[in-house]
Amino acid sequence: MSSSASPTQTLEYFVIYGPTPKEILEKYTALTGRPALPPAWSFGLWLSTSFTTNYDEATVTGIIEDMAARQLPVHVFHFDCFWMREFNWCDFQWDSRTFPDPAGMLARLKARGLRLCVWINPYIAQRSPLFAEGKANGYLLTRPNGDVWQIDEWQPGMGIVDFTNPAARQWFSAHLNTLLDMGVDAFKTDFGERIPTDVTYHNGADPVKMHNYYAFLYNQTVFETLRARTPYPVVFARSATAGSQQFPVHWGGDCESTFESMAESLRGGLSLGLSGFGFWSHDIGGFEGRPPAEIYKRWVAFGLLSSHSRLHGSGSYRVPWLYDEEAVDVLRFFTQLKCRLMPTLYAHALEAHTRGLPMMRAMLLEFPDDPVCQTLDRQYMLGDSLLVAPVFSFEGEVQYYLPKGFWTNYFTGKQLKGPIWVRETHGFQSLPLWVRPNTLLALGAHDDRPDYDFAAGVTLEVYELGYGEKTVDIPTQTGEGTVRFVVSHHSNQFSARCEGEVTDWKLLLVGISGDFSVEGGTAERIPRGVLATVGEGNRSVMVTF
């Protein structure tokens, strides 16, 4: 329906009925677009140079080697603004004073197994050689009198690329392709929100309407450039509007290094997820300022239990040994945990791609009939089965809510019956991480990287499974196929079978005690329950109590 406020202004409404929040999101994203599936490697740990720190190839290599020496997996390395020469942003040229051999450097970093990302924006400084070229060819936004629109706000005399001009898009894309040819894998598409309205667009668009839509065209241009080179492109985007979820991933911008800002980041991310964005990240430790060690370590736990995880700051590096040695252990612990969780996480990434449901979910999405969950904004569901409650205090105190059912603490195996409010104190290698009842949680065999064969060596963890059958589909790295496992519970018997070619897998019955027998494999009692290993050549296993 539409409403007219004046002869020249019309407001159009779309009413989307669910009736559940999940159904509303599915219908909304069917209308505005669903997220592309990011590559599996992008779910690993991103490490950045940060913004204003001094760095060159020796600095970058030293950081990477120091991470490796501490057994800290790094999967993506990001070069922030100063890979380009100051006051030339953006000219897409490596600063030759600090990077005399950029192609060689990128090749050396990629030989270490890293993916590489560089920072860009849609502004062209007057000092950049591209400014005169863009001005001469009509690639930049102009004032109504035809002059190039300029401002000194970010870079001296900067102009703004006009993405409504197809030739300007091709020009911008060509410079990105040069970087991709060098070995760059992804772009951090910063800015795009400082867009004036006293301008003229190539296609004659209304500049007021274009203010928000500009971010869509900017990120679409970069994303499509990547998609022409790889079936699984990924950007690290800041600005967005309705439909921008098609070009993941987005991050929360320049947050402060405080617990308050950490909580605000979560609140904003959950709101973004309810707006159709399937993937979301934030600067671990906060962007502005240098976080105290306590905040850094708590943010690491939160950041590695987010869809995408990046260590990034403004004036200081975010490597853990700059805080304390415990921070090194915390980062290792949660990075390895996320890598192990990848069979489950990537299945939820596929769900975001096909259904429009976010990986990090506000509680009301999973529990729409529980009125308590309607306002919870300091905890979330990671997918449909893992409840995460980050710690936002120096003392480690946290209060959170468990909805109805028997929940199991992932770390300790402790069970609690909900609905219940819980107040606890946690050490730094812990936070409230609870598994929902009637869950099959798939954990992978690798804790050092996010991109591997998720089904090979998988462990199916069974939590409070009711009588009957439950299935779990393990995706491939491309998302183009799955391996299905079926677990049955009848009386005192659990059985599991693989409906694929995988023969090296395990079944963990969490919290199960008592004597048992096993068919189709071997089993042992471990602190978390009974672990059954399928026998060689078998595709099923049965445990009887």
Short mmCIF file of all heavy atoms in Angstrom, two decimals, residues 9 137 153 227 269:
data_model
loop_
_atom_site.label_atom_id
_atom_site.label_comp_id
_atom_site.label_asym_id
_atom_site.label_seq_id
_atom_site.Cartn_x
_atom_site.Cartn_y
_atom_site.Cartn_z
N GLN A 9 5.54 13.42 -3.25
CA GLN A 9 6.11 12.49 -2.29
C GLN A 9 5.17 11.32 -2.05
O GLN A 9 3.98 11.53 -1.79
CB GLN A 9 6.42 13.18 -0.96
CG GLN A 9 7.54 14.20 -1.05
CD GLN A 9 7.86 14.82 0.29
OE1 GLN A 9 6.96 15.01 1.11
NE2 GLN A 9 9.12 15.12 0.53
N ASN A 137 36.85 11.85 -17.35
CA ASN A 137 35.95 10.86 -17.98
C ASN A 137 34.55 10.83 -17.37
O ASN A 137 33.73 10.00 -17.77
CB ASN A 137 36.58 9.47 -17.87
CG ASN A 137 37.79 9.31 -18.77
OD1 ASN A 137 37.67 9.19 -19.99
ND2 ASN A 137 38.98 9.34 -18.16
N GLU A 153 36.99 16.21 3.90
CA GLU A 153 36.60 15.53 5.13
C GLU A 153 37.45 14.30 5.45
O GLU A 153 37.81 14.06 6.59
CB GLU A 153 35.12 15.12 5.04
CG GLU A 153 34.58 14.54 6.32
CD GLU A 153 33.08 14.35 6.27
OE1 GLU A 153 32.46 14.57 5.22
OE2 GLU A 153 32.51 13.97 7.31
N ARG A 227 33.11 -11.95 -7.78
CA ARG A 227 32.35 -13.12 -8.25
C ARG A 227 32.75 -13.52 -9.66
O ARG A 227 32.62 -14.70 -10.03
CB ARG A 227 30.85 -12.84 -8.18
CG ARG A 227 29.99 -14.00 -8.62
CD ARG A 227 28.74 -14.18 -7.82
NE ARG A 227 27.91 -12.99 -7.81
CZ ARG A 227 26.82 -12.87 -7.04
NH1 ARG A 227 26.44 -13.87 -6.26
NH2 ARG A 227 26.10 -11.77 -7.06
N GLY A 269 24.31 -5.99 16.17
CA GLY A 269 24.42 -7.15 15.30
C GLY A 269 23.16 -7.99 15.26
O GLY A 269 22.76 -8.50 14.21
#
